[in-house]
Amino acid sequence: MEPRRGLNILLIEDDARSAELVRAGLAPEGHAVTIAPDGRIGLLRAGGEEWDVVIVDRMLPGLDGLGLLRMLRGAGIATPVLFLTALGGVDDRVAGLRAGGDDYLVKPFAIAELSARIAALIRRGSTKPAATTIRIADLEIDRLTHRVTRAGRSITLKPREYALLDYLARHAGEVVTRTMLLEDVWGFHFDPQTSVVESHISRLRAKLRTGPEPELIHTIRGAGYRLADET
């Protein structure tokens, strides 16, 4: 895995307290967060400087988040953009994504989830070709044939279990949240208020680990899950 570096992030947010909380929360990871306090200033800075990620509130003075993003995309600026907003309805999410947003996180949120989504955006923007085979310790996933083995033992997975494992493997070493799994594995842009993620994780763990092998799927308390060899 490539070493992670601190990112140069523009946060367009008019709530000074929220903005400072985000800046302080991401600082320990080495990320430098610059705050723009309204839509017009944000547009100027987002369009005039180089950023790894832009985080945008939907409801901004001067120029709202949707209008800001449409202008950026219309100018050919492809910087990854994550909406961070209190507008959490399905229609709101769809509007944000259709305006050119790459991800959408609803307030209130955990810094761990914001950090995980930023990491996923950076990873998604990588130009490296996707690996057809992923190996993590003695686990091997053939993404062309969907064949999964551990220490040479073939593991039979149902389609959703495979999709879940594939997603975790593509983000190996990173924390992925329950919301990310619901959105990217199940296609839910709302919380179904069920334990569907937890039950699938449990079944996947049982299939991957039938003996003394070390656990590969780790629960990160208050954040989500991480697939990694931590022996």
Side-chain angles (χ1 to χ4, degrees):
M1 180 179 300
E2 295 181 357
R4 291 184 60 178
R5 63 178 176 86
L7 301 175
N8 192 26
I9 298 172
L10 175 64
L11 170 61
I12 308 174
E13 167 65 82
D14 63 317
D15 184 325
R17 183 173 178 274
S18 295
E20 288 300 334
L21 286 174
V22 170
R23 177 151 59 187
L26 295 178
E29 299 189 37
H31 301 328
V33 178
T34 299
I35 299 169
D38 67 46
R40 294 191 184 281
I41 294 174
L43 178 63
L44 290 173
R45 300 210 63 170
E49 302 171 47
E50 293 290 331
W51 306 97
D52 294 307
V53 175
V54 176
I55 302 172
V56 184
D57 190 6
R58 279 281 302 269
M59 297 180 290
L60 291 165
L63 177 64
D64 70 272
L66 286 182
L68 183 156
L69 183 53
R70 289 192 183 103
M71 294 177 74
L72 284 180
R73 295 299 188 236
I77 295 171
T79 306
V81 170
L82 183 150
F83 276 114
L84 192 62
T85 175
L87 300 176
V90 173
D91 290 345
D92 297 314
R93 291 170 180 264
V94 170
L97 297 174
R98 284 182 173 170
D102 298 283
D103 202 355
Y104 202 104
L105 183 59
V106 177
K107 300 176 183 177
F109 60 92
I111 285 292
E113 173 144 26
L114 176 61
S115 177
R117 287 176 180 270
I118 290 171
L121 283 179
I122 294 300
R123 189 182 181 94
R124 191 185 305 169
S126 170
T127 57
K128 293 191 301 183
T132 57
T133 301
I134 299 176
R135 296 181 181 85
I136 300 160
D138 55 358
L139 175 69
E140 183 169 310
I141 304 166
D142 186 327
R143 303 187 65 223
L144 294 178
T145 63
H146 289 195
R147 183 170 185 267
V148 177
T149 61
R150 184 163 192 193
R153 172 177 62 87
S154 182
I155 300 171
T156 301
L157 298 178
K158 294 181 178 179
R160 191 74 74 186
E161 293 168 348
Y162 176 82
L164 176 58
L165 177 62
D166 181 72
Y167 186 87
L168 291 169
R170 285 187 285 112
H171 296 81
E174 301 175 3
V175 175
V176 297
T177 69
R178 182 175 182 276
T179 303
M180 293 167 72
L181 294 173
L182 284 171
E183 291 180 356
D184 295 328
V185 177
W186 276 265
F188 293 163
H189 291 279
F190 60 94
D191 190 339
Q193 302 294 319
T194 69
S195 60
V196 62
V197 172
E198 291 78 4
S199 60
H200 276 73
I201 288 285
S202 178
R203 286 202 296 271
L204 193 53
R205 279 177 168 149
K207 290 187 177 182
L208 294 183
R209 186 169 181 253
T210 59
E213 306 102 325
E215 183 64 74
L216 292 178
I217 300 177
H218 307 277
T219 298
I220 311 301
R221 187 179 298 276
Y225 304 94
R226 179 170 58 219
L227 179 62
D229 176 14
E230 298 187 353
T231 58

